[in-house]
Amino acid sequence: MRLLAEGLSAKRGEDLIFRDVSFGIDAGEALIVKGANGSGKSTLLRVLAGLLPAVSGTARLLAAAHPVERLGEACHYLGHRNAMKRELTVEENLVFWKAFYGDLHGGAGIGVDAAAAAVGLGGILHLPFGYLSAGQQRRMAMARLLVAWRPVWILDEPTAALDVAAEAMFAGLVTNHLAQGGIAIAATHQPLGLEGARELWMTGFAGAEQGVW
Amino acid sequence: MIPLLLRDIRLSVRAGGGALIGVLFFMTVVAVIPFGVGPDLNLLSRIGPAILWIGALLAALLGLDRLFQAEREDGSLDLLLMQETPLVLTVLVKCLAHWIATGLPLVIAAPLLGLFMNMDEVAIGATTLTLLAGTPAITFIGAAGAAIAVALPRGGLLVSILVLPLAIPVLIFGVSAVHAAIEDPAPFLPPFLILVAINLFFAVIGPVAAAAALRLSSD
Amino acid sequence: MSEPSLAIRKFSDLANPTRFLALVALLWPWMAGLTLCLFAFGLYLSFATLGDYQQGETVRIMYIHVPAAWLSMMCYSVMAVSALGTLVWRHPLADVSAKAAAPLGACFTLIALITGSLWGKPMWGTWWVWDARLTSVFVLFLMYLGLIALNRAMADDPTRAAKVGAVLILVGFVNIPIIKFSVEWWNTLHQPASVVRLDGPTIDPEFLRPLMVMAVAFTLFFFTLHVLAMRNEILRRRISVLRRHAARAVGREGSDA
């Protein structure tokens, strides 16, 4: 399995954020997207997830166990927001996402209990999600990545609200995912503690010369 | 798709959900009318079906703006957009859940409010039946408006303005079917069947339009 | 940084409710028992007395209807006093009392409306007339439902919900005479005295006796339910506090590991 991005360009509003970004990642590899604020890290990740249309270029998953039409279908996306409902209990949230996602070929998600234990929060599944602190909510959002199998993890500032111990825990989760033949792409300022991860530097691009108008 | 249906229904009956508010608004609107037109029972029974329909229409629009806005605020919308399941189907299921939680209670409350309006049994039955057939159409077409307004701050009022003109046919055929049921010479079935047809048509066009709008407004 | 102040406030808060819970545990079986006895006696009287020569057996609805209507108003007064307690004296039990009373008030108002409607059907030939009295009760019902909806909408933060709700209760309380007056004006404007008055100016002692017993029974019933509802609300809040504590405790363990 190989994730191949060729000549990606993307816009936010009328501004061209980046141009001609290309890279390839093989199974078991991680890519850390780095760069200053506003250099287009989040935009790149949203383009990969299929949430923003690319102005040019393509991103595809080659030789996957389960061929997908759009790359986004094979991805877990952990954005700035946790995508969990405050009014529902943690268990209801995770059970819903597990059922709604379903597993792709080539792997299987773990149970809701096991996922909560894996992020160090077993035993509070019965509580409403809104009762949890910001860090706990973030960790439960990470548990969402575990309950259903997706080969590609797209992580946008995954450890922003976490303490050092939780960061180490998350690095363990990602390493484990890579060991299972997954791919991880993370945009972050903090060192994630992943060994042998490749880096992509976003320089930012002002698209004035492009002259669309 | 069943998990999504159950989750949405659960969310709307949980504390802070909108299921109760819609019915309450419906009751209040209908109850206020007699203060405006006077407590003349004959007059009330004549305009009763129309009042119930207008009240239900407004109440059905009330919670619509939260249909996708809530999903967008906590980031769930991104994940719903990414899935393999067709977005149209996701939207359709969300509409159904929304209707079960907010539209169905209106239908159930309608007979009670019919008594307040001094309507007879036939009129109450016909109004309830037409509301049952018509309110899903409001939700379906409203979903398109909600999807268009999802990216706007304070989209709530705008959704009502966008959707009300589109819902006029539903109101026309709903009320005329009830009148046909009360007044003998006019047949009940033609306007009622047109209402059902509008419902089915909106069940297709609403989710398709909403899915397109959601894809385009993602940023 | 808010931890210590929160803890101190919590403990001083707990003192009063704890004593209240002990008192309730002691009192409520007696209250319930007395209510039961009064109801048995009142219902016996209600059915032992003669029917009205005009209204026949339907007059017995009055023994439920009038006490329920009386309670619908008394309950709002209880809530208004509680609201004052919340806003002026900041008594921790006051907001619990107001919150617990709202569904009870709504229920008794609904009973009054339903029995009134059942009574009205043989009298007026229709389930509902926009009589000034009935209409006022219906408006009261809507106000109760609004308060319940407010409490539900802010279930995350019951203390803040209580304060906002208290303001609404008092605004409503001040408005009740105006609503009542304007509804009567509106009603006489449209249909001068065409509606049969339910209560004659005089009421026969034959009816008065069961009515009074039933009114006392209903009042006691209300207070029993109210006290129990307050107990439940206090327990519910404690559970909520415990759950939040549990959530925080797990986080601490997690970061230690």
Side-chain angles (χ1 to χ4, degrees):
Chain A
M1 185 177 62
R2 180 174 170 81
L3 195 162
L4 190 65
E6 288 171 317
L8 283 177
S9 314
K11 274 184 178 180
R12 266 277 164 96
E14 302 302 331
D15 301 327
L16 202 59
I17 302 288
F18 56 80
R19 198 172 65 174
D20 281 342
V21 172
S22 304
F23 57 85
I25 322 170
D26 289 311
E29 282 188 333
L31 179 75
I32 309 290
V33 183
K34 292 194 165 180
N37 287 334
S39 57
K41 302 190 292 293
S42 294
T43 309
L44 175 64
L45 295 191
R46 289 185 73 80
V47 169
L48 289 176
L51 296 168
L52 273 182
V55 175
S56 67
T58 55
R60 286 168 297 152
L61 204 58
L62 305 176
H66 177 82
V68 288
E69 205 173 307
R70 295 174 293 131
L71 177 59
E73 292 166 14
C75 296
H76 264 308
Y77 176 72
L78 182 65
H80 292 184
R81 289 162 296 188
N82 293 325
M84 306 281 251
K85 298 290 178 190
R86 298 177 55 84
E87 299 85 357
L88 300 181
T89 67
V90 176
E91 184 167 21
E92 284 168 335
N93 270 306
L94 288 177
V95 165
F96 162 69
W97 282 121
K98 185 174 174 61
F100 188 78
Y101 272 114
D103 286 318
L104 285 190
H105 278 283
I110 60 177
V112 168
D113 289 318
V119 296
L121 292 178
I124 54 169
L125 278 171
H126 61 288
L127 294 180
F129 187 71
Y131 280 21
L132 273 52
S133 69
Q136 289 174 330
Q137 293 189 344
R138 194 63 178 165
R139 278 150 71 177
M140 280 303 179
M142 290 167 174
R144 196 189 70 227
L145 307 180
L146 303 175
V147 295
W149 167 256
R150 289 287 184 277
V152 182
W153 285 10
I154 298 178
L155 313 162
D156 197 354
E157 302 282 359
T159 56
L162 295 183
D163 55 22
V164 180
E167 267 180 39
M169 176 274 298
F170 183 62
L173 293 185
V174 176
T175 310
N176 195 20
H177 175 67
L178 298 179
Q180 289 174 18
I183 289 174
I185 306 171
T188 180
H189 295 294
Q190 286 124 325
L192 273 186
L194 297 175
E195 281 164 33
R198 293 166 48 198
E199 291 187 358
L200 175 71
W201 279 89
M202 302 291 288
T203 48
F205 173 80
E209 86 216 46
Q210 197 74 352
V212 182
W213 292 105
Chain B
M1 283 296 105
I2 300 292
L4 182 63
L5 186 78
L6 292 180
R7 179 190 78 147
D8 273 21
I9 293 174
R10 208 176 275 152
L11 273 173
S12 43
V13 298
R14 263 317 137 78
L20 182 72
I21 310 287
V23 188
L24 209 51
F25 181 79
F26 184 35
M27 283 179 64
T28 315
V29 166
V30 172
V32 157
I33 300 294
F35 295 115
V37 302
D40 178 1
L41 289 182
N42 293 328
L43 176 66
L44 284 179
S45 67
R46 203 165 64 245
I47 62 173
I51 301 294
L52 285 193
W53 253 99
I54 292 172
L57 177 62
L58 295 179
L61 290 178
L62 198 62
L64 265 177
D65 58 309
R66 299 298 297 163
L67 187 59
F68 301 113
Q69 191 109 48
E71 302 282 0
R72 184 188 151 86
E73 276 166 13
D74 66 12
S76 301
L77 187 59
D78 288 342
L79 306 188
L80 296 180
L81 283 170
M82 282 169 63
Q83 296 318 303
E84 201 175 0
T85 43
L87 188 56
V88 178
L89 194 59
T90 306
V91 172
L92 183 72
V93 169
K94 280 189 72 65
C95 288
L96 284 178
H98 186 266
W99 180 77
I100 290 171
T102 63
L104 197 55
L106 299 181
V107 178
I108 293 168
L112 192 73
L113 291 171
L115 289 180
F116 282 125
M117 290 285 130
N118 194 38
M119 288 153 60
D120 60 19
E121 294 80 1
V122 178
I124 287 177
T127 308
T128 311
L129 193 62
T130 51
L131 280 177
L132 185 67
T135 43
I138 301 170
T139 305
F140 289 134
I141 200 67
I148 288 164
V150 72
L152 300 174
R154 279 196 290 283
L157 275 177
L158 189 61
V159 173
S160 303
I161 297 169
L162 294 178
V163 172
L164 263 178
L166 302 173
I168 285 175
V170 182
L171 185 64
I172 290 175
F173 287 102
V175 174
S176 56
V178 178
H179 277 298
I182 305 170
E183 290 149 22
D184 250 342
F188 169 72
L189 266 187
F192 183 72
L193 289 181
I194 293 177
L195 182 69
V196 173
I198 291 176
N199 191 1
L200 294 177
F201 180 63
F202 280 2
V204 175
I205 196 171
V208 168
L214 286 178
R215 281 233 183 276
L216 293 175
S217 72
S218 168
D219 64 346
Chain C
M1 71 172 197
S2 64
E3 287 261 334
S5 71
L6 186 77
I8 289 165
R9 208 172 63 222
K10 267 279 131 28
F11 277 118
S12 65
D13 278 359
L14 278 178
N16 248 326
T18 307
R19 237 177 294 146
F20 177 79
L21 285 185
L23 197 66
V24 170
L26 201 68
L27 273 184
W28 86 263
W30 295 98
M31 291 170 77
L34 197 57
T35 308
L36 218 59
C37 292
L38 274 172
F39 262 121
F41 183 50
L43 284 174
Y44 166 74
L45 279 184
S46 311
F47 283 97
T49 50
L50 296 169
D52 187 65
Y53 73 98
Q54 268 183 325
Q55 304 185 9
E57 299 296 321
T58 53
V59 77
R60 301 191 202 285
I61 294 175
M62 177 177 75
Y63 302 132
I64 303 289
H65 173 74
V66 175
W70 141 247
L71 274 186
S72 70
M73 285 177 280
M74 194 198 71
C75 181
Y76 203 90
S77 313
V78 167
M79 286 168 67
V81 172
S82 306
L84 271 181
T86 302
L87 292 180
V88 180
W89 299 294
R90 302 186 185 282
H91 197 283
L93 280 177
D95 50 344
V96 174
S97 160
K99 189 177 177 188
L104 292 177
C107 278
F108 282 113
T109 315
L110 187 64
I111 291 173
L113 284 173
I114 291 174
T115 51
S117 180
L118 287 175
W119 200 2
K121 179 68 177 166
M123 304 265 307
W124 303 315
T126 166
W127 294 105
W128 183 263
V129 292
W130 291 86
D131 163 60
R133 187 170 300 233
L134 278 174
T135 308
S136 306
V137 175
F138 184 60
V139 173
L140 188 64
F141 182 59
L142 289 179
M143 286 165 69
Y144 276 124
L145 290 188
L147 282 167
I148 294 172
L150 178 72
N151 276 333
R152 272 176 56 89
M154 293 176 71
D156 260 1
D157 189 353
T159 320
R160 210 154 53 92
K163 282 181 190 142
V164 183
V167 173
L168 184 62
I169 291 171
L170 289 180
V171 169
F173 195 67
V174 174
N175 261 310
I176 279 179
I178 302 178
I179 296 172
K180 178 91 181 146
F181 168 75
S182 52
V183 165
E184 250 154 39
W185 180 312
W186 161 79
N187 196 256
T188 46
L189 206 66
H190 284 287
Q191 43 177 92
S194 70
V195 180
V196 184
R197 282 274 154 200
L198 280 178
D199 48 341
T202 57
I203 185 162
D204 196 282
E206 178 78 13
F207 301 128
L208 198 59
R209 204 149 22 94
L211 191 58
M212 290 312 285
V213 176
M214 284 302 275
V216 175
F218 260 84
T219 311
L220 203 60
F221 183 44
F222 166 77
F223 279 113
T224 311
L225 290 180
H226 187 217
V227 165
L228 287 179
M230 281 175 73
R231 183 192 65 172
N232 290 350
E233 177 63 24
I234 290 173
L235 293 178
R236 205 174 293 131
R237 288 189 190 185
R238 285 198 177 167
I239 289 172
S240 156
V241 169
L242 285 178
R243 292 173 103 186
R244 282 174 204 275
H245 275 300
R248 251 179 284 164
V250 168
R252 244 172 266 134
E253 277 165 33
S255 56
D256 287 345

PDB file of all heavy atoms in Angstrom, chain B residues 32 37 41 78 80 99 101-102 130 134 136 152 179 195 199 206 209 213:
ATOM      1  N   VAL B  32     -52.429  31.277  21.033  1.00  0.00           N
ATOM      2  CA  VAL B  32     -52.444  32.739  21.004  1.00  0.00           C
ATOM      3  C   VAL B  32     -53.466  33.255  19.975  1.00  0.00           C
ATOM      4  O   VAL B  32     -54.012  34.343  20.131  1.00  0.00           O
ATOM      5  CB  VAL B  32     -51.013  33.250  20.698  1.00  0.00           C
ATOM      6  CG1 VAL B  32     -51.040  34.629  20.120  1.00  0.00           C
ATOM      7  CG2 VAL B  32     -50.190  33.235  21.969  1.00  0.00           C
ATOM      8  N   VAL B  37     -58.241  36.739  17.326  1.00  0.00           N
ATOM      9  CA  VAL B  37     -59.467  36.750  16.528  1.00  0.00           C
ATOM     10  C   VAL B  37     -60.725  36.681  17.389  1.00  0.00           C
ATOM     11  O   VAL B  37     -61.829  36.843  16.872  1.00  0.00           O
ATOM     12  CB  VAL B  37     -59.495  35.590  15.504  1.00  0.00           C
ATOM     13  CG1 VAL B  37     -58.306  35.657  14.586  1.00  0.00           C
ATOM     14  CG2 VAL B  37     -59.555  34.258  16.208  1.00  0.00           C
ATOM     15  N   LEU B  41     -66.555  30.459  18.800  1.00  0.00           N
ATOM     16  CA  LEU B  41     -66.277  29.057  18.519  1.00  0.00           C
ATOM     17  C   LEU B  41     -66.519  28.697  17.054  1.00  0.00           C
ATOM     18  O   LEU B  41     -65.808  27.884  16.484  1.00  0.00           O
ATOM     19  CB  LEU B  41     -67.122  28.163  19.433  1.00  0.00           C
ATOM     20  CG  LEU B  41     -66.681  28.181  20.901  1.00  0.00           C
ATOM     21  CD1 LEU B  41     -67.532  27.228  21.722  1.00  0.00           C
ATOM     22  CD2 LEU B  41     -65.216  27.832  21.050  1.00  0.00           C
ATOM     23  N   ASP B  78     -17.470  16.795   9.326  1.00  0.00           N
ATOM     24  CA  ASP B  78     -16.327  16.378   8.513  1.00  0.00           C
ATOM     25  C   ASP B  78     -16.300  14.864   8.354  1.00  0.00           C
ATOM     26  O   ASP B  78     -16.104  14.337   7.261  1.00  0.00           O
ATOM     27  CB  ASP B  78     -15.023  16.817   9.189  1.00  0.00           C
ATOM     28  CG  ASP B  78     -14.828  18.323   9.103  1.00  0.00           C
ATOM     29  OD1 ASP B  78     -15.490  18.937   8.255  1.00  0.00           O
ATOM     30  OD2 ASP B  78     -14.038  18.855   9.891  1.00  0.00           O
ATOM     31  N   LEU B  80     -18.786  12.738   8.785  1.00  0.00           N
ATOM     32  CA  LEU B  80     -19.928  12.227   8.026  1.00  0.00           C
ATOM     33  C   LEU B  80     -19.675  12.397   6.528  1.00  0.00           C
ATOM     34  O   LEU B  80     -20.077  11.563   5.724  1.00  0.00           O
ATOM     35  CB  LEU B  80     -21.211  12.977   8.426  1.00  0.00           C
ATOM     36  CG  LEU B  80     -21.676  12.820   9.868  1.00  0.00           C
ATOM     37  CD1 LEU B  80     -22.955  13.609  10.105  1.00  0.00           C
ATOM     38  CD2 LEU B  80     -21.901  11.368  10.218  1.00  0.00           C
ATOM     39  N   TRP B  99     -37.399  14.362  11.888  1.00  0.00           N
ATOM     40  CA  TRP B  99     -38.862  14.360  11.802  1.00  0.00           C
ATOM     41  C   TRP B  99     -39.468  13.543  12.945  1.00  0.00           C
ATOM     42  O   TRP B  99     -40.452  13.966  13.563  1.00  0.00           O
ATOM     43  CB  TRP B  99     -39.332  13.809  10.454  1.00  0.00           C
ATOM     44  CG  TRP B  99     -40.820  13.802  10.367  1.00  0.00           C
ATOM     45  CD1 TRP B  99     -41.621  14.877  10.144  1.00  0.00           C
ATOM     46  CD2 TRP B  99     -41.675  12.670  10.555  1.00  0.00           C
ATOM     47  NE1 TRP B  99     -42.939  14.494  10.192  1.00  0.00           N
ATOM     48  CE2 TRP B  99     -43.004  13.147  10.437  1.00  0.00           C
ATOM     49  CE3 TRP B  99     -41.467  11.323  10.815  1.00  0.00           C
ATOM     50  CZ2 TRP B  99     -44.116  12.310  10.562  1.00  0.00           C
ATOM     51  CZ3 TRP B  99     -42.564  10.498  10.944  1.00  0.00           C
ATOM     52  CH2 TRP B  99     -43.863  10.993  10.814  1.00  0.00           C
ATOM     53  N   ALA B 101     -38.276  13.052  15.854  1.00  0.00           N
ATOM     54  CA  ALA B 101     -38.117  13.731  17.139  1.00  0.00           C
ATOM     55  C   ALA B 101     -38.922  15.020  17.231  1.00  0.00           C
ATOM     56  O   ALA B 101     -39.398  15.372  18.309  1.00  0.00           O
ATOM     57  CB  ALA B 101     -36.645  14.025  17.393  1.00  0.00           C
ATOM     58  N   THR B 102     -39.089  15.738  16.122  1.00  0.00           N
ATOM     59  CA  THR B 102     -39.774  17.029  16.219  1.00  0.00           C
ATOM     60  C   THR B 102     -41.066  17.097  15.412  1.00  0.00           C
ATOM     61  O   THR B 102     -41.980  17.821  15.792  1.00  0.00           O
ATOM     62  CB  THR B 102     -38.855  18.172  15.745  1.00  0.00           C
ATOM     63  OG1 THR B 102     -38.556  17.960  14.376  1.00  0.00           O
ATOM     64  CG2 THR B 102     -37.586  18.231  16.554  1.00  0.00           C
ATOM     65  N   THR B 130     -53.325  14.852   7.315  1.00  0.00           N
ATOM     66  CA  THR B 130     -52.562  15.666   6.362  1.00  0.00           C
ATOM     67  C   THR B 130     -51.254  16.136   6.978  1.00  0.00           C
ATOM     68  O   THR B 130     -50.245  16.241   6.277  1.00  0.00           O
ATOM     69  CB  THR B 130     -53.379  16.890   5.908  1.00  0.00           C
ATOM     70  OG1 THR B 130     -53.874  17.565   7.061  1.00  0.00           O
ATOM     71  CG2 THR B 130     -54.520  16.490   5.020  1.00  0.00           C
ATOM     72  N   GLY B 134     -47.711  15.645   5.510  1.00  0.00           N
ATOM     73  CA  GLY B 134     -47.084  16.881   5.039  1.00  0.00           C
ATOM     74  C   GLY B 134     -45.841  17.309   5.784  1.00  0.00           C
ATOM     75  O   GLY B 134     -44.923  17.873   5.178  1.00  0.00           O
ATOM     76  N   PRO B 136     -43.252  15.667   6.995  1.00  0.00           N
ATOM     77  CA  PRO B 136     -41.950  15.187   6.506  1.00  0.00           C
ATOM     78  C   PRO B 136     -41.453  16.017   5.323  1.00  0.00           C
ATOM     79  O   PRO B 136     -40.256  16.287   5.213  1.00  0.00           O
ATOM     80  CB  PRO B 136     -42.240  13.742   6.086  1.00  0.00           C
ATOM     81  CG  PRO B 136     -43.433  13.339   6.853  1.00  0.00           C
ATOM     82  CD  PRO B 136     -44.253  14.576   7.006  1.00  0.00           C
ATOM     83  N   LEU B 152     -23.114  29.770   7.732  1.00  0.00           N
ATOM     84  CA  LEU B 152     -23.342  31.164   8.123  1.00  0.00           C
ATOM     85  C   LEU B 152     -23.446  31.286   9.634  1.00  0.00           C
ATOM     86  O   LEU B 152     -24.026  30.445  10.296  1.00  0.00           O
ATOM     87  CB  LEU B 152     -24.659  31.668   7.516  1.00  0.00           C
ATOM     88  CG  LEU B 152     -24.733  31.629   6.002  1.00  0.00           C
ATOM     89  CD1 LEU B 152     -26.114  32.017   5.558  1.00  0.00           C
ATOM     90  CD2 LEU B 152     -23.700  32.565   5.425  1.00  0.00           C
ATOM     91  N   HIS B 179     -60.082  20.956   4.075  1.00  0.00           N
ATOM     92  CA  HIS B 179     -61.349  21.608   3.732  1.00  0.00           C
ATOM     93  C   HIS B 179     -62.220  20.699   2.881  1.00  0.00           C
ATOM     94  O   HIS B 179     -63.443  20.658   3.041  1.00  0.00           O
ATOM     95  CB  HIS B 179     -61.074  22.935   3.016  1.00  0.00           C
ATOM     96  CG  HIS B 179     -60.796  24.047   3.990  1.00  0.00           C
ATOM     97  ND1 HIS B 179     -61.735  24.471   4.909  1.00  0.00           N
ATOM     98  CD2 HIS B 179     -59.690  24.788   4.219  1.00  0.00           C
ATOM     99  CE1 HIS B 179     -61.218  25.439   5.644  1.00  0.00           C
ATOM    100  NE2 HIS B 179     -59.965  25.643   5.253  1.00  0.00           N
ATOM    101  N   LEU B 195     -50.483  16.072  -2.039  1.00  0.00           N
ATOM    102  CA  LEU B 195     -49.649  16.323  -0.862  1.00  0.00           C
ATOM    103  C   LEU B 195     -48.630  15.202  -0.672  1.00  0.00           C
ATOM    104  O   LEU B 195     -47.438  15.454  -0.442  1.00  0.00           O
ATOM    105  CB  LEU B 195     -50.539  16.457   0.379  1.00  0.00           C
ATOM    106  CG  LEU B 195     -49.826  16.773   1.691  1.00  0.00           C
ATOM    107  CD1 LEU B 195     -49.271  18.173   1.669  1.00  0.00           C
ATOM    108  CD2 LEU B 195     -50.786  16.620   2.872  1.00  0.00           C
ATOM    109  N   ASN B 199     -44.577  15.297  -0.932  1.00  0.00           N
ATOM    110  CA  ASN B 199     -43.736  14.717   0.115  1.00  0.00           C
ATOM    111  C   ASN B 199     -42.650  13.830  -0.493  1.00  0.00           C
ATOM    112  O   ASN B 199     -41.468  13.954  -0.183  1.00  0.00           O
ATOM    113  CB  ASN B 199     -44.646  13.915   1.061  1.00  0.00           C
ATOM    114  CG  ASN B 199     -43.917  13.493   2.308  1.00  0.00           C
ATOM    115  OD1 ASN B 199     -42.750  13.807   2.472  1.00  0.00           O
ATOM    116  ND2 ASN B 199     -44.596  12.801   3.178  1.00  0.00           N
ATOM    117  N   GLY B 206     -34.776  17.191  -1.604  1.00  0.00           N
ATOM    118  CA  GLY B 206     -34.221  17.822  -0.407  1.00  0.00           C
ATOM    119  C   GLY B 206     -32.861  17.259  -0.031  1.00  0.00           C
ATOM    120  O   GLY B 206     -31.865  17.992   0.007  1.00  0.00           O
ATOM    121  N   ALA B 209     -30.133  18.023  -2.683  1.00  0.00           N
ATOM    122  CA  ALA B 209     -29.674  19.411  -2.634  1.00  0.00           C
ATOM    123  C   ALA B 209     -28.851  19.651  -1.374  1.00  0.00           C
ATOM    124  O   ALA B 209     -27.809  20.315  -1.417  1.00  0.00           O
ATOM    125  CB  ALA B 209     -30.875  20.353  -2.661  1.00  0.00           C
ATOM    126  N   ALA B 213     -24.993  20.905  -1.157  1.00  0.00           N
ATOM    127  CA  ALA B 213     -24.636  22.141  -0.450  1.00  0.00           C
ATOM    128  C   ALA B 213     -23.593  21.867   0.620  1.00  0.00           C
ATOM    129  O   ALA B 213     -22.659  22.658   0.808  1.00  0.00           O
ATOM    130  CB  ALA B 213     -25.883  22.766   0.167  1.00  0.00           C
TER     131      ALA B 213
END
